[in-house]
Amino acid sequence: MTPANPAPSSPTSADDFVIQLAVERRLINAMQVDAARAIIAGHSDPATSAPRVLDLLVQQGALGARSVAEMLASEFGMAMAPDMTNIRITGDTLELIPRAVAARYRLVPLHREGNKLKIAIADPLDTDGIDALAHIVKLTIEPLVATAEDISDAINRFYGKDANSIDDLLNDLSVTGGGGDAAAVTTEASSVADASNTEADGPIIKLVHQIMFEAIQRRASDIHLEPLEKRFRVRYRIDGVLLEVENPPKRLQLSIISRLKIMANISIAEKRIPQDGRIQISVGGKQLDLRVSSLPTAHGESIVMRILDKEGLTLGLPELGFFADDAATFERLISLPDGILLVTGPTGSGKTTTLYGCLHFINKPDRKIITVEDPVEYQLNGINQVPVRHDVGMTFASALRAMLRQAPNIVMVGEIRDLETAEIAINASLTGHMVFSTLHTNDAPGAITRLIDIGVKPFLVSTSLRCAMAQRLVRKICSKCKKPMTPTPQELRSLNINPAQASTATFAKGEGCANCNATGYRGRMGIFEIFVINEEIQKMIYEGAGSAKLRDKARSVGMRTMREDGTRKVTAGLTTIEEVVSITVGDVS
């Protein structure tokens, strides 16, 4: 919706319009306006800019901000926004408009109803801003009028303090000299609470919290703080892709790193060896864990924080990316009473999330589940979780051996790394336990070769293994800016999509919008290669068949490769050809 009879949008002409309207409606008189203009004409301080007439009239109390808002709403046939101090705005609504856009156009999203978005706006004369917003969110805009102060307060309340307030924080630091706060943050503390007693309002603390808050707001999975020769780089990993954000000054590097190490409860005096710690924070009423890793580099300690969100662990198989047929197969496999199920793939391919999803699915009161992990990333209700501690001899093998004396039904081993762990896991499966674990292999049949390479006898592999599943993560097309597209013949050939398949497919791509940071993608999903071990394949493993022959046999009995599964998701309009081709470059269909 665009206001009727729009006035000129430049500040001067817009102010003149509002002042003239206020005079006509007898909210102020001409003498008050002339007096304000005389004050501005006499402004002689070259260090500051002269105030605007309208702002000065409001500051003097000659004209009320609420009166101006009500006057403009009446003039343009708009309604006033509800009381901004008592409104509630959902997270989904806030996500439609990034904070920077809200601050730039002085507006707040209030409520979405179908294809219509209600917003509170401070300046209904700003038709360009309303039109720009409609283009960004691809919705019909219904503006309601509020005062600029109410809008500013609402932005800070719902979005948090200014995402660009890093500049203000740095100004604060320039006053304290940066080093003054560094002295405080380089004091060893056993907890965040102890440190916050003396530093709660320190600009370094505010800056560190702002970095973490912004990363969470942007749905980052990791925060990377990397000391380089002449700068201190900050990057967020969003949907698997690293995005560089505003870098703090190099001079603040030691203070920021020290603060993070205090929060993670790791030694700030030790800078020569890698260290690990955890930070617990609350954002929007939701508890999050940050797993912190410090690594000495040539130019200082590099810090990586993995953001662990428990909500992702309760996802069902469809949310993880399984189509109905694969979900049915996988649910049957994870519900078996014994055997081994392996999830394979490189680091960052979602193996842990899939395994936790399996445990959540089968976690029932009549089953005892024990896990051994290095480290325990998520705390799960109703499950006994054992952390690996190499310093006291608690390895995967020793923990697994002890766990079996606890009479579990289901065991999860974070990773099979050596022969001893593999043999204990296999023996557990042969004595009536269901064992879940991971391996680092490129494809599903490669898991068998890997087990045999580390020394497991082929007959043990063939009798214990129930399934090996390889997976990768691809980015999902943003649902807000998703549009149909027609791939080129070359793109179709890259995934072996024939004309018959293409004629029934729903190809799509994201145009880029505020919801996806203009990338066209939001969120990720898995593509899978499920290698079910049947009697024929058991015999081939026992006879020592290689990975290539096992793969050929598996495909002959219906196994889809990751590229083929990705192709199904491309033709369903869930992801793009580029994503699947780049992720499955080594997958020979």
Side-chain angles (χ1 to χ4, degrees), residues 139-150:
L139 296 171
T140 301
I141 303 300
E142 181 180 331
L144 308 175
V145 183
T147 68
E149 184 179 3
D150 285 347

Side-chain angles (χ1 to χ4, degrees), residues 312-317 320 322 330-331 333-335 341 343 351-364 367 369 380 383 410 412 436 469 471:
L313 305 183
T314 59
L315 296 176
L317 298 184
L320 292 174
F322 287 91
F330 203 61
E331 286 177 4
L333 290 166
I334 63 180
S335 299
L341 187 147
V343 180
K351 300 187 300 296
T352 301
T353 300
T354 297
L355 283 182
Y356 278 133
C358 294
L359 294 182
H360 177 74
F361 179 80
I362 60 179
N363 185 14
K364 302 290 189 297
R367 296 173 179 172
I369 303 175
L380 299 177
I383 294 178
I410 297 152
M412 188 188 94
F436 298 101
M469 184 182 76
Q471 71 174 63

Side-chain angles (χ1 to χ4, degrees), residues 150-221:
D150 285 347
I151 293 287
S152 178
D153 289 345
I155 289 174
N156 286 333
R157 189 164 76 253
F158 290 107
Y159 287 97
K161 290 295 183 181
D162 188 355
N164 295 320
S165 63
I166 286 179
D167 293 335
D168 298 332
L169 295 174
L170 298 182
N171 289 335
D172 292 342
L173 287 165
S174 66
V175 174
T176 62
D181 200 67
V185 298
T186 51
T187 302
E188 185 75 36
S190 60
S191 68
V192 180
D194 294 335
S196 64
N197 289 335
T198 57
E199 306 178 82
D201 297 319
I204 283 288
I205 295 177
K206 292 180 181 178
L207 179 56
V208 167
H209 288 181
Q210 183 59 47
I211 289 171
M212 293 191 291
F213 178 80
E214 184 179 351
I216 292 164
Q217 288 291 96
R218 294 193 182 196
R219 303 177 300 103
S221 60

